[in-house]
Amino acid sequence: MVSLRTCVVALACASSAFGARIQNPFIVLPPSAAKHRQDVKNIFLDSWNAYKEFAFPHDDLTPITETWTDGRNGWGASVVDALSTIFIMGEQDIFAEAVNFTTHVDFTRSHTSDTASVFETTIRYLAGMLSAYELSGQKYPQLVKQAETLTNKLSGAWSEGNVIPFGQVNINTSTPTIQTSNIAEAGTLTLEWSRLAQYTKNDTYRKLAEDSVRLLANNPAPIPGFPAQGIDPSTGKPVGAYVTWGGGSDSYLEYLIKYARLTNTDDNIFADTWATAVDSSIHTLLRKSTVGNWTYLADLDDSGTIRHVGSHLACFMAGNWIMGGKLLNNNTIVQLGLDLNEGCWNTYASTATGIGPEAFAYISSDGSYSGSTPSAGDIAFYNRHGFYITTSYYYMRPEVLESNFYAYRLTGDVKYFNRAAAAVQSIETYLKTPTVAYAPINDVDSTDSGFIDDMESFWFAEVLKYLYLTFDDPNHISLDNYVFNTEAHPFVAPPEKSSYGSGRLHGSTGSFKTTSGPLPAVSFAPKLPPT
């Protein structure tokens, strides 16, 4: 961190040698790439065939009991969420079958008694359909029509005249659930809704999503450019003052820079707000562990106290900083992204399974406060690895593999390729169930962990896609030609600008005020009992 203090702000550390293209143009895939690609495809097909046999047309497979759940309104989440991965893997027969199913789903009513999450429905269903439409050369216009039908239902989230959308909508009545939300739910719609606006010529979709982000970006914040995690859609005011790159905030921050890149907008509020949040994070949240010198981003709790914690969800930030640093021509941010990636990968490399935990904590020079007291075993683990596990399960999350993919496409360094190959081996060894397909595990530091009976759709959409693309021709789905939504659905991007943002920080001034109210859960625990 010492070298950073030579800069007044991170933006002052920009290097003109960095352009707004992300990928290294000279990557040479190792000879084993084709085998690893096939290994990932085999895992996908094994999972897909089990889903088709035991769960279709429901949302998700429960691999241990060989049945299904409908956690996403019963619209066949695994099919729609898998669309872009199926196409990228070249499985054209399966793709045609999945498109045919998707175009016949009735999105005008929920097939369960649940309300619909505006955020989850957008990133899985809406994005899955629009990305598939683009990847297939716009061959299936009915996918856009289906996306429009669904989004019209979701737009009930604004039916109370609010600028910030409510998080849940009754699909059958198009009415929202009046409750507090978080900035990830409210600020992770711009990529999908603006792309729908482009194809339908109805700019209302873009405006609704964009105006929500503008309000969040201009609200008073605990640290510059970085909103509190909680938000009250009824008032547009923050709830609490918790600051984190983890669940509940994560994809709001992610989409700021991605929206700037996908749209090439001349309005710098998106790139500048992202840069300000990164700058604030460098000066307030950046920490080094006292063992191993690993780089982490801490949380800042409601009292303004640093919490020395990290999470699998938050590990997306390494890839996001790599991408954003390149777009801003800022070598400092890029290098920190690589450093953060090392810290996240260490959580994989240090466990018995080679897979990282849901949440962890660490000690840095300013202390060890994490909100709980570590055991003697935790401290012993920390002294070996530079972190200790606070939540031991692995819920088939993609974020560490996602950031590893960005690091590989940036550098071409074969170590990232080899890490992805090691992850595939760990998946085959520890996630393959004694029944069918693959499942989450309860304890990443145990080689005989029990399974969690749930295979979420993001297994198809994210984990297997990022692994496959790490072993794929870098020019196939290039980070310079596509922008990935937070569920790993790629959208076609226009040619990049020379740089993004104005080089100035963006943040509101004045006192920070909040309203009260309970926050929704931001990182779900396993919803089914372990087996």
Side-chain angles (χ1 to χ4, degrees):
M1 292 176 62
V2 175
S3 62
L4 292 176
R5 292 173 183 167
T6 62
C7 306
V8 176
V9 295
L11 299 182
C13 300
S15 166
S16 60
F18 274 64
R21 293 186 72 79
I22 301 165
Q23 288 200 174
N24 183 328
F26 305 111
I27 296 175
V28 177
L29 286 173
S32 61
K35 177 188 180 301
H36 292 313
R37 258 195 327 275
Q38 188 61 49
D39 288 343
V40 176
K41 184 184 285 192
N42 290 343
I43 294 171
F44 180 95
L45 292 174
D46 187 10
S47 301
W48 177 261
N49 290 335
Y51 164 77
K52 285 297 298 296
E53 181 175 357
F54 297 105
F56 179 81
H58 298 280
D59 287 338
D60 295 318
L61 170 71
T62 53
I64 306 302
T65 53
E66 298 180 341
T67 183
W68 49 267
T69 61
D70 271 336
R72 298 293 163 207
N73 303 95
W75 293 319
S78 287
V79 179
V80 184
D81 219 3
L83 280 170
S84 60
T85 304
I86 296 168
F87 187 90
I88 287 169
M89 288 184 173
E91 295 293 328
Q92 291 302 316
D93 290 344
I94 298 176
F95 182 76
E97 178 187 11
V99 168
N100 181 62
F101 167 81
T102 301
T103 56
H104 288 88
V105 173
D106 181 4
F107 286 115
T108 66
R109 64 182 184 90
S110 177
H111 297 176
T112 72
S113 61
D114 299 326
T115 56
S117 164
V118 178
F119 163 71
E120 295 286 0
T121 305
T122 293
I123 67 171
R124 302 191 198 209
Y125 288 110
L126 176 57
M129 290 187 280
L130 294 178
S131 178
Y133 174 68
E134 292 188 350
L135 289 170
S136 61
Q138 303 185 4
K139 182 178 177 181
Y140 302 98
Q142 186 61 25
L143 289 171
V144 175
K145 186 63 179 176
Q146 287 285 77
E148 182 180 22
T149 297
L150 177 57
T151 307
N152 286 343
K153 285 290 189 176
L154 296 178
S155 65
W158 284 270
S159 61
E160 300 297 306
N162 44 304
V163 177
I164 302 294
F166 289 100
Q168 298 285 328
V169 170
N170 182 319
I171 289 294
N172 300 334
T173 62
S174 299
T175 56
T177 302
I178 309 301
Q179 63 184 17
T180 51
S181 187
N182 58 60
I183 62 172
E185 290 184 344
T188 311
L189 309 173
T190 50
L191 300 187
E192 298 86 356
W193 288 52
S194 67
R195 191 49 54 105
L196 181 63
Q198 177 180 321
Y199 290 130
T200 61
K201 311 300 183 186
N202 183 350
D203 198 49
T204 300
Y205 301 122
R206 177 201 60 81
K207 190 175 187 302
L208 286 171
E210 198 176 284
D211 284 353
S212 176
V213 173
R214 290 181 188 280
L215 192 153
L216 294 173
N218 286 311
N219 260 350
I223 57 177
F226 208 131
Q229 182 186 61
I231 187 74
D232 184 351
S234 295
T235 63
K237 292 183 179 180
V239 177
Y242 202 93
V243 170
T244 180
W245 280 85
S249 299
D250 44 9
S251 48
Y252 161 75
L253 299 160
E254 176 187 358
Y255 272 34
L256 287 171
I257 193 64
K258 286 186 172 180
Y259 187 63
R261 174 64 187 92
L262 184 64
T263 63
N264 278 345
T265 176
D266 292 327
D267 188 340
N268 289 320
I269 187 174
F270 306 99
D272 287 354
T273 303
W274 181 86
T276 307
V278 169
D279 188 71
S280 293
S281 299
I282 291 170
H283 289 289
T284 306
L285 307 179
L286 195 67
R287 293 295 184 275
K288 292 280 192 176
S289 62
T290 57
V291 171
N293 204 38
W294 302 108
T295 301
Y296 301 118
L297 290 177
D299 287 1
L300 190 70
D301 69 16
D302 287 328
S303 69
T305 302
I306 286 290
R307 291 199 178 198
H308 301 77
V309 296
S311 68
H312 203 293
L313 280 166
C315 279
F316 87 94
M317 72 341 207
N320 192 239
W321 284 36
I322 289 168
M323 174 186 180
K326 288 292 287 183
L327 297 183
L328 267 61
N329 300 323
N330 191 307
N331 192 18
T332 297
I333 297 174
V334 173
Q335 185 56 56
L336 283 170
L338 291 171
D339 293 344
L340 289 164
N341 186 62
E342 292 300 300
C344 287
W345 183 258
N346 181 54
T347 68
Y348 270 54
S350 300
T351 69
T353 62
I355 297 171
E358 177 74 1
F360 58 91
Y362 52 89
I363 300 168
S364 65
S365 61
D366 67 323
S368 60
Y369 178 70
S370 66
S372 61
T373 302
S375 67
D378 291 335
I379 296 302
F381 190 96
Y382 173 79
N383 287 333
R384 294 193 302 272
H385 302 296
F387 75 99
Y388 61 92
I389 296 169
T390 56
T391 305
S392 64
Y393 64 77
Y394 172 66
Y395 213 81
M396 305 176 96
R397 295 205 189 278
E399 291 80 12
V400 174
L401 301 174
E402 172 186 354
S403 287
N404 184 72
F405 163 69
Y406 276 83
Y408 182 56
R409 288 289 182 89
L410 171 80
T411 67
D413 190 330
V414 72
K415 76 177 181 181
Y416 303 112
F417 179 97
N418 291 336
R419 288 174 179 177
V424 172
Q425 184 59 52
S426 291
I427 287 168
E428 285 280 22
T429 303
Y430 299 110
L431 269 60
K432 189 167 181 59
T433 78
T435 48
V436 297
Y438 299 78
I441 54 176
N442 285 305
D443 186 356
V444 295
D445 204 37
S446 170
T447 57
D448 60 353
S449 171
F451 291 101
I452 299 166
D453 195 14
D454 192 23
M455 191 179 77
E456 282 257 9
S457 68
F458 51 69
W459 172 245
F460 293 120
E462 300 187 76
V463 176
L464 299 180
K465 183 186 288 104
Y466 282 125
L467 284 170
Y468 185 87
L469 288 175
T470 305
F471 307 128
D472 197 18
D473 178 357
N475 296 314
H476 177 205
I477 304 291
S478 168
L479 289 173
D480 294 320
N481 298 331
Y482 293 88
V483 173
F484 288 77
N485 91 320
T486 197
E487 192 80 0
H489 295 299
F491 291 124
V492 176
E496 73 283 349
K497 301 195 297 186
S498 60
S499 185
Y500 291 79
S502 68
R504 295 185 298 273
L505 300 182
H506 174 85
S508 62
T509 58
S511 60
F512 174 63
K513 298 179 180 179
T514 74
T515 56
S516 62
L519 289 176
V522 296
S523 176
F524 60 84
K527 51 192 179 185
L528 299 174
T531 58

